[in-house]
Amino acid sequence: MKRHLKSTLLYVLLTIAAALILYPVIYTFFMAVMSPEEASAYPPSFLPHSFHMANFTEVFEIVPIAAFIGNTFLISGLTMIGQLITASLAAYAFAKMEFKGKNFIFSMFVATMMIPWEVTIIPNYLTVRSWNWLDTYQGLTVPFLATAFGTFLLRQFFLQLPKELFEAARMDGCGHIRYFVFHVLPLSRPALGTLAVYSFLNMYNSYLWPLLITNSENMRTVQIGISMLEFQESTSWNLVFAGTALVILPSLLLLIFGLKQLVRGMAAGALKG
């Protein structure tokens, strides 16, 4: 009886916590289909009296939101691919290869995770400007192609692969490259999927760096495009929320379909140090 009561109480608490977390997202989608009067009313109403789907078409007329989404997908995709390549190669070297100073180099590499991103903004900006990469795709992607977190995550996963597999591959004439491509990568799909989802969402939600180095409208990302829906004279909050709903929908879908992979990869990578 006590066990059932404890389980019921736990589920109730989890349901309340989930409702509190999901409330801003649900409210965003409701606000996106409200009329201007309903969206600006005080106190605000939670449910719309009628669904104004024209808000979404009006957003496309005010700002080129489709171009912004396309830019963001391109930048996020390039960054994701770059991080998968660099992190997997570095992680394999740290996990399966022996060289002098490996542990020290890895410790220094992981220590960069403790440096706040804000500290590196100015050096990165000066570097990108000196290379004439302002307002370019290179400037938006190259600074993020290497990640200490991704290297750490994949290294922890690679360490779980049995040494006997590598020894058997070596007996069959496999070198490091063939073993990495044909054995390690196929077996590491959960961890690679985790890093892919994490890196894509992280870049998709980036705001400060694209705002800093982009000037032209055709290079803007969705996070900056949403702010263009606000005006000093008056702001139609239903349009702002409609744009926000369009922006968060792809990331929500990616998170929903990739959540299982994300949890599996995180749990697998944490089992062995």
Side-chain angles (χ1 to χ4, degrees):
M1 185 64 180
K2 287 184 178 180
R3 182 188 300 177
H4 291 295
L5 182 60
K6 186 181 295 185
S7 299
T8 302
L9 182 59
L10 178 62
Y11 279 111
V12 170
L13 292 176
L14 290 175
T15 303
I16 293 174
L20 292 175
I21 294 173
L22 291 175
Y23 171 76
V25 178
I26 298 173
Y27 187 67
T28 296
F29 284 99
F30 280 144
M31 283 284 289
V33 294
M34 287 184 181
S35 65
E37 294 77 17
E38 290 176 324
S40 58
Y42 185 83
S45 58
F46 181 75
L47 295 175
H49 298 296
S50 58
F51 293 91
H52 293 259
M53 304 305 296
N55 292 341
F56 296 100
T57 58
E58 195 171 345
V59 168
F60 282 93
E61 295 173 359
I62 297 175
V63 295
I65 195 73
F68 294 156
I69 293 177
N71 275 340
T72 309
F73 266 90
L74 177 61
I75 295 166
S76 302
L78 291 175
T79 303
M80 177 188 70
I81 294 172
Q83 289 192 8
L84 287 175
I85 294 173
T86 58
S88 60
L89 290 172
Y92 179 83
F94 285 128
K96 298 298 181 181
M97 300 177 70
E98 295 297 331
F99 52 91
K100 190 175 182 179
K102 182 179 75 170
N103 293 332
F104 175 76
I105 296 173
F106 179 71
S107 300
M108 296 299 295
F109 196 75
V110 173
T112 61
M113 296 172 59
M114 295 185 292
I115 302 175
W117 160 244
E118 291 77 10
V119 174
T120 63
I121 285 181
I122 294 178
N124 280 334
Y125 176 80
L126 294 177
T127 303
V128 167
R129 189 184 65 177
S130 66
W131 290 347
N132 295 320
W133 281 3
L134 293 179
D135 212 35
T136 62
Y137 289 115
Q138 304 97 290
L140 288 167
T141 56
V142 170
F144 304 96
L145 295 184
T147 165
F149 169 78
T151 303
F152 175 78
L153 176 68
L154 294 182
R155 173 186 175 272
Q156 299 304 102
F157 193 90
F158 292 169
L159 287 174
Q160 298 178 67
L161 300 179
K163 294 181 180 180
E164 293 78 9
L165 180 64
F166 179 66
E167 294 172 356
R170 290 297 295 269
M171 292 180 63
D172 289 338
C174 259
H176 282 294
I177 296 178
R178 285 185 60 190
Y179 179 68
F180 172 72
V181 174
F182 296 105
H183 294 82
V184 174
L185 291 183
L187 293 173
S188 305
R189 283 178 293 181
L192 292 172
T194 299
L195 180 59
V197 173
Y198 174 83
S199 60
F200 186 92
L201 291 178
N202 193 44
M203 196 63 198
Y204 187 89
N205 294 317
S206 178
Y207 175 78
L208 186 57
W209 182 251
L211 178 65
L212 186 62
I213 74 163
T214 58
N215 299 314
S216 59
E217 192 173 272
N218 60 340
M219 293 298 300
R220 296 292 193 184
T221 58
V222 289
Q223 306 301 331
I224 304 172
I226 292 301
S227 63
M228 296 170 63
L229 292 171
E230 300 183 30
F231 306 99
Q232 290 184 349
E233 296 81 10
S234 62
T235 299
S236 298
W237 291 109
N238 57 325
L239 300 182
V240 173
F241 278 93
T244 305
L246 290 172
V247 169
I248 66 175
L249 187 59
S251 58
L252 278 178
L253 293 175
L254 180 62
L255 185 61
I256 290 172
F257 290 108
L259 184 61
K260 184 177 180 180
Q261 192 82 357
L262 192 66
V263 174
R264 284 178 56 195
M266 288 290 188
L271 291 180
K272 184 171 184 179

